[in-house]
């Protein structure tokens, strides 16, 4: 009986709901008073929208126009900017649903700098990864590297090198699930509904929180009305991209589903000349996602999502072009007086006295694929990629989430549980076809579990609020692998060691060459950094509507961090040179014998160690006893042992560090709505990014938390009579203990240098740490113009001055290595990767004509020059430029569409001058044809 009453109640409300839907009012607005039938109303609304879509398609078939796609049932319909551009409803910034604020609000009501890009806008030019997405918003940058090492930055803050021991400054959220690592999102996105970029510290509304901003990707959700669409792209470099999405009702009024998948295969633009079967930055991606929507009662619904990307290798490492460094520094001193560079080994070098040393005979005259290999023809220069380690990087990514929502009389209570599993395995090369590096590289095995409970008040009262709990646990095993081949000894030997073993060996040259080979051949060392993190937060945010015009918002988050990092580094394979091992390294016994720097036996060797020394004498010099070796032969053994010890480096039995802290995030944001056209706001945001438990060369060197104060003043403008929406803001961000690469003392090498009696023994290494202070200030704008029939234009831009305000102990760039002292002062210099000017303009034109719809679109991302190196080298500046993607196509009344897509149309390949090497743009100009449609 109760069910029948509810159905009659629904029937009475259906005309009202349909009217609200056609007016673009959110579906849940009809149930603001706490009506228990809200869930069923939404289901009926979905059916009405589906019927409406069918009627529009029928009308389009008669008039020759293309029917606009209905808005998803899970989101409010956006009011179209003009009748001529229904497909771009999501571009009207004043009426876009924003999930990044965890409330269904319009942009003009949000007192924060935020940009939104619709999924339709991304689809039209095949923008399906973070690199392409960030080219459609100002003051956000994707810092290109390989699948593991890339990072996001907002307002110039957040660029970082490889490190999993620290949180990203810019968070990534996918369908409400916060990612603990940015690389979990460094894949293709598909079936996207919208992307939001939020700037400044985040966290009072839930999720993991972030100190500089958040990029939130929302995919389309399941609903009860049937849908099926597909696209197939063929393009340059043997590209095939296949995508499909389908879904609808499984059980009436109870269960709906949505399935999506993408297959992306393509050769990379750059070939490996050692083996043309392999190309760099090829694509080998397959991914699928299935979602279920369960609505057993009018007050409860559940969404289950599962996705997987199987293991697949891609060669996205090694895209490096080498060049010769200058012969001298600015003071006239030689840049390579000891012959350590590839040029010195392959071409020879001159020392400070002007004495020329020729190339190493070991590598002279070697040929690959029938062609002699030389430094000038095969190592330096553009597109001279020529290496023998081709395994690439194998990546795997999968996860699942369960979102449960209860509709209460005055609140909504939700629970979201999610798990993600990610793995990465790289096999790197030193850049030549010689057998030097073997099976080296890095690996990551990562798991995270997140749980969030959230209680939200329903809108309509004087006070709107949200509160909840968030927990994330991550387990991260980061491997570093170093393997050496038969040419490694001759390559890594110092000039003095090579002279002793080969160049000046005389009658002992044969033994010396054997020692060069065996010293490192098949040696393998593996390091593991295991990071366990537990982070639990309580958060809350409220907005007090003091009057119809004035509102005051504020929030607070308290997070408890508990992190443990354990480092081990072990020799896992001795290879051919076990006899040359050190006796021990940092208490790790390696079984070698004890000898002096001249090679003579030292006191205290056991019988087994003496037997080991005798075996070396017999194997390499043909004598029975080590004591029978000449001084020259002893020197060769000493050189081989020193060469091996230098590559083994430090070993760690398991060094553990701990980090525990309580962190705070806060926000305060008053806003004033002058009228429907203008809303002004100001905001203060404070965020603390967790520090980390860190070991540097076996010594605890924890990183302090990063603390950010962000101030913002903004104006949101909506002028429908002119077809214009424009949002602008001024911002200032002050950061204390900014997380960046810093220069620290290398305790292990320093101790080794002291033991060897080396002058100036203190050694330094680059590691993650704290920069005392940084700052970013500037202005931003986002806008949409739709005042011309059939045309919509989206534009954004920013002027951003991001720089270190205090960095007195920065690492020296390569060109300043001659300066005395380990540090230089970079206070006042721009942050790496931070361009002063960035901008974006995109437009789409659609014109119905005689039963077809012709359309054209483009997106151009602009940037001023920026420095691309962590050390701010003068050789790291990249000049400003623009990257343009465009699309031309025609749609048919059946729903079928064919489009020509061109990416990086003007082939922008600008790069830094570089000191020794640089990585070119992996994606030069590309073109393809996309066929798409609905079933």
């Amino acid at each position: 009986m109760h069910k029948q009453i509810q159905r009659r109640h629904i029937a009475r409300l259906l005309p009202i709901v349909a009217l609200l839907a056609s007016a673009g009012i959110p579906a849940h607005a009809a149930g603001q008073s706490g009506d228990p039938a809200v869930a069923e109303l939404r289901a009926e609304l979905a059916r009405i929208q589906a019927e409406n879509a069918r009627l529009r398609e029928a009308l389009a078939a008669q008039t020759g126009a293309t029917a606009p796609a209905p808005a998803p049932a899970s989101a409010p319909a956006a009011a179209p900017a003009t009748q001529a551009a229904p497909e771009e409803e999501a571009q009207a910034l004043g009426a876009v649903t924003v999930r990044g604020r965890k409330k269904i609000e319009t942009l003009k009501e949000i007192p924060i700098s935020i940009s939104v890009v619709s999924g339709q806008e991304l689809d039209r030019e095949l923008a399906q990864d973070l690199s392409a997405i960030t080219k459609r918003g100002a003051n956000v940058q994707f810092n290109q590297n390989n699948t593991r090492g890339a990072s996001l930055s907002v307002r110039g803050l957040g660029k970082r090198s490889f490190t999993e021991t620290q949180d990203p400054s810019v968070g990534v959220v996918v369908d409400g699930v916060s990612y603990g690592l940015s690389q979990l999102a460094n894949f293709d996105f598909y079936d996207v509904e919208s992307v939001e970029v939020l700037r400044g510290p985040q966290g009072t509304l839930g999720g993991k929180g972030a100190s500089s901003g958040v990029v939130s990707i929302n995919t389309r959700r399941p609903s009860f009305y049937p849908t099926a669409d597909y696209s197939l792209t063929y393009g340059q470099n043997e590209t095939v991209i296949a995508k499909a999405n389908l879904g609808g009702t499984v059980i009436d009024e109870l269960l709906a589903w949505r399935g999506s998948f993408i297959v992306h295969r393509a050769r990379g633009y750059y070939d490996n000349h050692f083996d043309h079967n392999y190309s760099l930055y090829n694509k080998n991606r397959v991914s699928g996602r299935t979602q279920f929507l369960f609505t057993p009662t009018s007050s409860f619904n559940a969404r289950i999502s599962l996705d997987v990307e199987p293991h697949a290798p891609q060669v996205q490492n090694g895209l490096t072009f080498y060049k010769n460094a200058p012969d001298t520094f600015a003071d006239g001193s030689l840049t390579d007086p000891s012959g350590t560079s590839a040029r010195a080994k392959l071409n020879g070098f001159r020392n400070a006295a002007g004495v020329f040393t020729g190339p190493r005979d070991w590598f002279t005259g070697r040929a690959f694929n029938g062609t002699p290999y030389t430094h000038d023809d095969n190592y330096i220069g553009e597109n001279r990629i020529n290496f023998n380690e081709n395994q690439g990087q194998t990546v795997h990514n999968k996860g699942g989430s369960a979102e449960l929502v209860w509709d209460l009389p005055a609140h909504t209570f939700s629970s979201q549980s999610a798990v993600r599993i990610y793995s990465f395995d790289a096999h790197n090369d030193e850049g030549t076809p010689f057998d030097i590096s073997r099976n080296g590289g890095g690996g990551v095995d990562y798991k995270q579990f997140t749980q969030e409970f959230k209680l939200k008040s329903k809108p309509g009262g004087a006070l709107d609020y949200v509160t909840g709990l968030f927990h994330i646990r991550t387990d991260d095993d980061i491997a570093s692998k170093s393997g050496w081949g038969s040419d490694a000894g001759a390559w890594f030997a110092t000039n003095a060691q090579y002279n002793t073993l080969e160049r000046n060996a005389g009658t002992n040259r044969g033994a010396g060459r054997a020692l060069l080979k065996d010293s490192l051949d098949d040696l393998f060392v593996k390091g593991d950094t295991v990071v366990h993190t537990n982070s639990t937060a309580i958060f809350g945010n409220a907005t007090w509507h003091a009057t119809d015009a004035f509102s005051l918002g504020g929030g607070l988050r308290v997070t408890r961090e508990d992190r443990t990092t354990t480092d081990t580094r072990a020799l896992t394979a001795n290879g051919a040179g076990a006899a040359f091992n050190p006796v021990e390294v940092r208490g790790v016994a390696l079984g070698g014998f004890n000898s002096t720097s001249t090679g003579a036996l030292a006191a205290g060797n056991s019988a087994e160690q003496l037997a080991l020394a005798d075996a070396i004498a017999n194997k390499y010099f043909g004598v029975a006893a080590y004591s029978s070796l000449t001084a020259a032969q002893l020197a060769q053994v000493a050189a081989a042992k020193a060469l091996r010890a230098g590559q083994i480096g430090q070993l760690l039995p398991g060094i553990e560090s701990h980090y525990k802290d309580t962190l705070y995030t806060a926000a305060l944001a008053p806003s004033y709505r002058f009228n429907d056209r203008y809303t002004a706001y100001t905001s203060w945001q404070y965020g603390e990014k967790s520090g980390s438990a860190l070991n540097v060369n076996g010594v605890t060197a924890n990183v302090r938390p990063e603390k950010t104060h962000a101030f913002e003043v903004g104006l949101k403008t909506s002028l429908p009579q002119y077809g214009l929406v424009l949002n602008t803001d001024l911002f200032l961000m002050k950061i204390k203990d900014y997380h960046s690469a810093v220069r620290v003392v290398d305790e292990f090498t320093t101790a080794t240098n002291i033991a060897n009696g080396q002058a100036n023994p203190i050694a330094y290494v680059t590691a993650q740490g704290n920069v005392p202070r940084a700052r970013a200030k500037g202005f931003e704008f986002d806008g949409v113009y739709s005042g011309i029939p059939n045309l919509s234009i989206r534009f954004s831009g920013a002027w951003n001055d991001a720089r270190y305000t205090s960095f007195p102990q920065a690492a020296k760039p390569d060109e300043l290595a001659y300066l005395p002292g380990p540090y230089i002062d970079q206070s006042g210099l721009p942050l790496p990767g931070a361009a002063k000017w960035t901008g974006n303009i995109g437009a789409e034109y659609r014109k119905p004509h005689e039963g077809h719809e012709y359309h054209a679109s483009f997106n151009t991302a602009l940037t001023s020059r920026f420095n691309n190196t962590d050390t701010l080298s003068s050789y790291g500046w990249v000049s400003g430029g623009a990257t343009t993607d465009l699309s031309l196509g025609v749609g048919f009344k059946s729903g079928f569409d064919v489009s020509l897509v061109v990416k990086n149309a003007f082939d922008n390949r600008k790069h830094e001058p570089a000191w020794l090497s640089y990585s070119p743009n992996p994606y030069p100009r590309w073109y393809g044809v996309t066929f798409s449609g609905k079933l």
Side-chain angles (χ1 to χ4, degrees), residues 586-749:
R586 274 198 165 174
V588 179
L590 297 181
F593 63 93
N594 195 11
S595 58
T596 67
S597 59
T598 65
L601 289 173
N605 281 296
S606 66
E608 291 80 4
Q609 290 173 311
L610 293 175
L612 188 62
D614 289 341
I616 286 177
N618 182 263
K619 179 178 179 179
Y620 294 98
F621 301 101
V623 297
Y626 191 83
S627 58
S628 301
L629 296 181
T630 66
Q633 292 169 337
L634 289 173
Q636 287 189 312
V637 175
K641 292 187 67 175
L643 170 57
R644 184 178 177 89
Q647 293 305 302
I648 291 175
Q650 66 167 338
L651 301 178
L652 301 173
I655 305 298
E656 192 172 276
S657 62
H658 302 274
Y659 172 86
K660 293 184 179 181
D661 206 350
T662 300
L663 307 173
Y664 299 91
T665 302
L668 186 64
S671 63
Y672 187 82
R673 182 170 61 87
F674 296 98
N675 50 46
D676 289 339
R677 299 179 181 180
Y678 302 102
T679 299
Y681 71 91
T682 183
S683 71
W684 165 75
Q685 298 164 279
Y686 175 76
E688 294 183 350
K689 172 184 166 183
S690 175
S692 59
L694 184 67
N695 301 307
V696 177
N697 290 326
V699 177
T700 296
N702 284 0
V703 179
R704 298 185 299 276
E706 180 180 287
K707 301 178 180 180
T708 300
H709 288 271
F711 306 91
E712 198 171 303
V713 178
L715 179 66
K716 312 249 178 166
T717 305
S718 177
L719 303 173
Q721 71 274 30
Y722 301 112
L724 178 66
V725 174
L726 180 63
N727 301 327
T728 60
D729 67 87
L730 299 170
F731 66 88
L732 171 65
M733 296 179 68
K734 296 183 175 181
I735 306 98
K736 180 181 179 182
D737 288 328
Y738 180 63
H739 288 180
S740 182
V742 299
R743 198 76 166 158
V744 297
V745 174
D746 181 345
E747 300 283 357
F748 174 79
T749 305

Side-chain angles (χ1 to χ4, degrees), residues 246-297:
L246 61 160
T249 299
V250 178
I251 302 175
D252 282 342
E253 303 182 8
L254 180 64
L255 184 64
W257 82 292
R258 186 175 183 87
S260 308
F261 74 86
I262 183 171
V263 177
H264 189 179
R265 299 289 175 85
R267 282 188 64 82
Y269 182 85
Y270 301 94
D271 274 355
N272 180 359
H273 296 297
F274 176 79
D275 187 343
H276 289 278
N277 291 313
Y278 292 90
S279 60
L280 280 76
Y281 277 75
N282 67 307
K283 290 294 191 300
N284 183 19
R285 299 178 176 179
V286 178
S287 184
R289 177 175 55 250
T290 301
Q291 302 178 78
F292 296 96
L293 176 64
F294 184 52
T295 58
T297 71

Side-chain angles (χ1 to χ4, degrees), residues 75-387:
T82 67
Q83 292 182 354
E87 291 287 336
E88 281 303 310
E89 292 175 349
Q91 285 195 358
L93 290 182
V96 172
T97 298
V98 178
R99 291 191 176 85
R101 287 287 289 178
K102 313 304 182 191
K103 296 177 68 177
I104 297 180
E105 298 173 306
T106 56
L107 277 178
K108 66 183 180 181
E109 297 170 342
I110 301 174
I112 191 176
S113 176
I114 180 172
S115 297
V116 176
V117 181
S118 71
Q120 291 173 330
E121 185 177 353
L122 298 174
D123 285 342
R124 69 193 186 196
E125 289 124 17
L126 290 176
Q128 55 195 34
D129 57 21
L130 287 175
S131 176
I133 288 171
T134 54
K135 285 183 173 64
R136 283 152 175 81
N139 233 1
V140 55
Q141 181 173 331
F142 179 71
N143 306 298
Q144 179 71 55
N145 207 303
N146 61 31
T147 309
R148 172 189 171 193
S151 63
L152 288 164
S153 55
V154 167
R155 293 173 174 170
L157 306 169
K159 185 178 188 293
R160 63 178 192 164
S161 301
F162 292 87
T163 176
E164 283 85 7
T165 58
Q166 290 185 0
D167 288 345
S169 296
V170 179
V172 176
V173 178
V174 179
D175 287 340
V177 178
S178 297
Y179 285 3
L181 292 179
S182 297
Q183 59 245 47
L184 270 68
N186 197 3
F187 299 95
D188 286 345
F189 290 102
Y190 52 101
D191 201 23
V192 173
E193 181 179 303
S194 65
V195 178
E196 293 96 39
V197 178
L198 294 85
R199 303 176 180 93
Q202 306 295 321
T204 63
L205 287 154
K208 190 177 185 304
S211 60
S212 297
V214 167
V215 174
S216 181
I217 296 101
N218 308 297
T219 63
R220 294 183 176 92
R221 299 194 169 204
S223 66
F224 284 94
Y225 63 93
T227 180
D229 58 83
Y230 67 90
S231 71
L232 184 61
T233 299
Y234 298 97
Q236 193 178 13
N237 301 329
E238 303 172 18
T239 297
V240 177
I241 304 173
K243 295 188 287 186
N245 314 289
L246 61 160
T249 299
V250 178
I251 302 175
D252 282 342
E253 303 182 8
L254 180 64
L255 184 64
W257 82 292
R258 186 175 183 87
S260 308
F261 74 86
I262 183 171
V263 177
H264 189 179
R265 299 289 175 85
R267 282 188 64 82
Y269 182 85
Y270 301 94
D271 274 355
N272 180 359
H273 296 297
F274 176 79
D275 187 343
H276 289 278
N277 291 313
Y278 292 90
S279 60
L280 280 76
Y281 277 75
N282 67 307
K283 290 294 191 300
N284 183 19
R285 299 178 176 179
V286 178
S287 184
R289 177 175 55 250
T290 301
Q291 302 178 78
F292 296 96
L293 176 64
F294 184 52
T295 58
T297 71
S298 61
S299 59
F300 172 77
N301 68 81
R303 184 183 66 91
I304 309 298
S305 177
L306 302 170
D307 66 273
V308 62
E309 180 161 353
H311 290 82
Q314 298 180 139
V315 186
Q316 296 199 345
N317 52 339
L319 182 52
T320 304
F321 290 167
Y322 297 97
K323 60 173 289 187
N324 291 327
D327 292 331
T328 61
F329 291 113
D331 66 346
S333 60
L334 295 175
T335 58
D336 186 22
S338 302
T340 61
S341 67
R343 177 172 57 166
K345 295 166 185 175
L346 299 176
N347 280 357
F349 70 100
R350 293 188 184 276
N351 64 17
V355 176
F356 179 76
T357 300
R360 299 187 177 184
D361 288 344
W362 189 283
F363 303 102
T364 302
R366 299 275 291 274
F368 300 94
N369 298 323
T371 303
Y373 181 90
T374 68
H375 176 266
D376 294 347
D377 291 336
N378 305 105
Y379 186 78
I380 63 170
E382 294 190 356
N383 205 12
R384 303 289 177 85
I385 303 164
N386 203 323
F387 58 83

Side-chain angles (χ1 to χ4, degrees), residues 338-340 360 489-500 503 643:
S338 302
T340 61
R360 299 187 177 184
W491 186 262
F492 289 111
T494 66
N495 192 53
Q497 290 166 350
Y498 188 81
N499 286 344
T500 299
R503 186 178 285 127
L643 170 57

